[in-house]
Amino acid sequence: ALEYLKTSVRKLGDNELYLVGHSKGGNMAMSSALDAPEYIFKKIQRVVNFDGPGFRYEQFDSKKYQKLKKKLVNYIPSGSIVGTLLENNNYSVVKSNALAWNQHYPETWEMYGEYFVNSKLSQLSSELHERTTINVRHLNKKKIHDSFETLIAQISKEHKEDLKFSLEELYNLYKNLKQMDPEVGENFEIVIDALLKSAKEIKPKILKKKNK
């Protein structure tokens, strides 16, 4: 991401930069700004992260992040599963018209004119944030990297119809959680519980529409 940013600046020569990304792309936008040379960082006007995960504690607690925070805007849906992973803050919570996992997709986020409709972070998302911050600080870098890569790979699949997505991807995620380090994997069990509950909520709504 940093090399892409440097190459883009060389080619475009813009004096004002806006770095934007969704999901893992949001994290890459933040990461490239965090490590950008000073001459590039000065050109960055805003870094916008749409439901992308945060950083490890060492990065989050650094002086570089304190500088970045002044330019950073985070948007997450009320039921966020991705954007609440790891260390981050100053969220603007957006209302979504989807359920559970499907809230991750920005096309489900509600707007009034050119503004997002505000909402509150769900209890599930708040708990997930806590489980992936305080509870993993003692783990080494490789364990955290491998585990979160596994999780993000499953979350970032191409968008599918609600019920099919929830049930099929739930099974794949469950299999991959078994491959994680046990210390990390147990912290993601709350995600499985949330998706099971969501599938129960989605099915009656789909059946009701078919009956009409």
Side-chain angles (χ1 to χ4, degrees):
L2 179 57
E3 289 306 312
Y4 174 79
L5 175 60
K6 289 179 178 178
T7 301
S8 298
V9 171
R10 284 196 298 270
K11 288 183 177 180
L12 301 174
D14 292 338
N15 290 321
E16 293 187 357
L17 300 174
Y18 293 84
L19 309 186
V20 182
H22 169 250
S23 192
K24 188 175 180 179
N27 177 270
M28 294 172 76
M30 292 193 299
S31 297
S32 61
L34 189 74
D35 293 327
E38 187 63 24
Y39 78 94
I40 292 181
F41 188 82
K42 288 180 178 179
K43 295 182 179 184
I44 298 173
Q45 307 300 304
R46 190 77 63 201
V47 180
V48 186
N49 172 25
F50 292 105
D51 204 30
F55 297 112
R56 290 180 293 112
Y57 181 73
E58 300 93 298
Q59 295 168 301
F60 178 75
D61 194 45
S62 67
K63 291 181 179 179
K64 289 193 296 185
Y65 181 81
Q66 295 308 311
K67 285 179 60 179
L68 171 64
K69 189 166 66 172
K70 298 174 183 177
K71 302 183 178 185
L72 179 61
V73 179
N74 291 297
Y75 290 103
I76 61 173
S78 57
S80 174
I81 292 177
V82 183
T84 50
L85 296 175
L86 297 175
E87 304 278 358
N88 210 349
N89 59 10
N90 298 326
Y91 299 119
S92 292
V93 183
V94 179
K95 185 178 180 181
S96 169
N97 58 34
L99 294 172
W101 206 276
N102 291 296
Q103 291 191 31
H104 180 55
Y105 301 98
E107 63 264 30
T108 72
W109 298 0
E110 297 189 7
M111 301 191 72
Y112 183 79
E114 61 184 53
Y115 300 99
F116 286 121
V117 177
N118 295 329
S119 186
K120 293 182 179 180
L121 196 62
S122 69
Q123 182 177 347
L124 166 67
S125 296
S126 298
E127 187 173 348
L128 182 61
H129 177 67
E130 182 178 344
R131 283 172 178 258
T132 59
T133 53
I134 298 171
N135 290 15
V136 301
R137 285 180 185 173
H138 67 286
L139 299 179
N140 67 44
K141 190 174 179 179
K142 188 176 187 308
K143 283 185 179 181
I144 294 176
H145 173 273
D146 292 347
S147 300
F148 279 95
E149 282 293 328
T150 301
L151 183 62
I152 295 297
Q154 291 302 312
I155 293 174
S156 299
K157 298 280 187 180
E158 183 179 353
H159 182 58
K160 299 178 183 178
E161 183 269 327
D162 286 347
L163 181 62
K164 183 179 178 182
F165 177 85
S166 293
L167 296 179
E168 288 185 1
E169 296 302 324
L170 171 61
Y171 176 68
N172 290 331
L173 176 60
Y174 180 73
K175 288 195 300 183
N176 281 303
L177 282 175
K178 290 183 176 180
Q179 299 170 15
M180 288 185 177
D181 184 275
E183 288 186 280
V184 179
E186 65 183 15
N187 288 316
F188 292 122
E189 290 179 3
I190 189 172
V191 179
I192 302 296
D193 292 338
L195 289 176
L196 285 171
K197 291 174 183 175
S198 300
K200 291 178 182 178
E201 292 176 3
I202 294 169
K203 189 173 182 180
K205 290 189 177 184
I206 292 177
L207 292 176
K208 190 175 181 180
K209 288 180 182 178
K210 287 182 179 179
N211 290 335
K212 287 182 179 180

